[in-house]
Amino acid sequence: MKVTFIGLGQMGKGMAANILKGGFEIIVWNRKDECYANVEEIVAQGAKTTETLGESVEGADVVALSLTSDAAVRAVVAEMYDNLKPGAIVIDHSTASPKLAKELAEKLAAAGVFFLDAPVSGGAGGALQGTLAIMIGGKKEAFEKALPVLKTMGTNVVYMGPTGSGHVTKLINQMLTGVNQAIVCEAMLIGEKAGLNLQELLNVLVNAWGNSRMLERSVPEYIIPKKYESAACLELMAKDFSLASQMAEDLGYKIPLTELGRHYYQSAKDQGYGKMDHCYIIELMKEENKLK
């Protein structure tokens, strides 16, 4: 199969490289100039690129997207729509809304093109190593046809159901991740305020029921050293929480704990800290409590 990969950011770079390593002919393309070095790097490994987005998808059997917002996904699909061949499969690896997935699936079906919503989890490291979790919604026949490509990028590739199911699964994952991150930050502040050594506290908690991936990740790497530069920037978590809130509203359900977590991520983003790791919200909690 011929593959086109659009969006060579932190995640897309590793994902495209693994498709190439999997033996597929691949064209890479990026919308933003700041990521062009990533395009050049993948091209140096054997991929190809084109001048325009339309050219990049001509003749492609699979077109994979890794973008940052609903608006970006919608714009890219609109721009490449006339160049897609009937029978092609568009796979959206972005974290986007279930509503958008249904909209695009219907639009592409009119041109004889399949659509899979297939967001990923595992971070830039997982993208580079090909160990991502990939959660997929859409037509089962399209999923089965695209599976060889998907398996080059992830070790946990799961078909979740009809269109939108992948994005619902990812947003649930983000709810769990973001709310857990918030309570980890709050718990560490209580420990610090009470005079505990945070490293010793961590050593106890990782072997107790309070353990979690966010505890194991964030406390030693970011919270203890107070260094918050990271690819997992909180502006994306704020965006994902907004999508989760909209999803819950569409379902007629209230999610108060998620909304409380959303407050911290959105506040940090609004104050200009959007590029910091998402556990930077601990600094906002300190400010609320007037802690140095």
Side-chain angles (χ1 to χ4, degrees):
M1 288 186 285
K2 294 181 179 180
V3 181
T4 297
F5 200 102
I6 300 169
L8 275 286
Q10 289 280 351
M11 298 295 292
K13 174 184 172 182
M15 295 165 73
N18 281 310
I19 293 173
L20 184 62
K21 290 175 185 175
F24 291 95
E25 180 182 337
I26 184 171
I27 291 175
V28 293
W29 199 87
N30 203 79
R31 301 173 75 220
K32 297 181 179 179
D33 290 341
E34 59 261 34
C35 292
Y36 195 72
N38 292 347
V39 173
E40 292 180 319
E41 185 177 332
I42 303 302
V43 169
Q45 295 173 26
K48 297 178 181 178
T49 191
T50 61
E51 288 294 325
T52 68
L53 173 58
E55 289 175 319
S56 76
V57 303
E58 289 179 355
D61 300 295
V62 172
V63 178
L65 314 177
S66 181
L67 305 169
T68 57
S69 67
D70 277 28
V73 174
R74 186 181 283 108
V76 165
V77 170
E79 188 173 344
M80 69 185 185
Y81 185 83
D82 292 334
N83 298 84
L84 293 166
K85 73 174 188 179
I89 305 169
V90 175
I91 308 177
D92 183 19
H93 294 297
S94 319
T95 300
S97 67
K99 184 182 293 185
L100 176 68
K102 294 173 184 177
E103 171 194 323
L104 296 181
E106 183 177 347
K107 177 178 181 176
L108 290 167
V113 175
F114 294 98
F115 179 86
L116 296 174
D117 49 297
V120 302
S121 182
L128 190 63
Q129 296 160 16
T131 58
L132 293 170
I134 309 178
M135 45 217 93
I136 299 103
K139 296 281 189 181
K140 188 72 175 287
E141 60 184 292
F143 163 72
E144 291 172 347
K145 185 177 179 181
L147 192 55
V149 176
L150 294 166
K151 283 186 172 180
T152 67
M153 298 178 282
T155 52
N156 185 18
V157 181
V158 183
Y159 177 73
M160 297 302 298
T163 300
S165 301
H167 285 327
V168 170
T169 305
K170 176 60 186 291
L171 293 178
I172 290 172
N173 176 77
Q174 296 305 86
M175 290 166 65
L176 290 167
T177 301
V179 172
N180 183 238
Q181 178 66 88
I183 194 60
V184 165
C185 291
E186 192 169 86
M188 290 304 103
L189 285 182
I190 288 292
E192 191 172 48
K193 182 66 174 177
L196 297 181
N197 179 286
L198 293 191
Q199 184 60 57
E200 292 178 356
L201 177 59
L202 175 65
N203 294 342
V204 171
L205 294 176
V206 294
N207 293 298
W209 276 20
N211 190 27
S212 69
R213 286 191 177 183
M214 300 315 293
L215 181 78
E216 292 181 354
R217 167 202 181 272
S218 299
V219 176
E221 293 185 37
Y222 302 101
I223 292 175
I224 290 178
K226 294 181 172 60
K227 295 180 179 179
Y228 301 107
E229 289 75 20
S230 166
C233 52
L234 63 84
E235 66 182 5
L236 294 179
M237 186 63 77
K239 182 264 293 184
D240 294 348
F241 265 43
S242 293
L243 291 173
S245 295
Q246 184 60 56
M247 176 181 70
E249 183 178 325
D250 292 342
L251 293 170
Y253 200 80
K254 296 181 180 180
I255 47 174
L257 295 178
T258 301
E259 290 295 345
L260 184 59
R262 180 185 177 189
H263 155 74
Y264 286 104
Y265 298 111
Q266 190 62 48
S267 293
K269 177 186 175 183
D270 292 344
Q271 292 178 43
Y273 301 109
K275 298 299 183 183
M276 296 294 187
D277 186 84
H278 40 66
C279 69
Y280 184 83
I281 60 172
I282 195 170
E283 297 299 326
L284 274 67
M285 294 177 178
K286 287 180 181 179
E287 179 62 26
E288 285 185 354
N289 286 280
K290 303 300 180 184
L291 297 175
K292 293 183 180 180

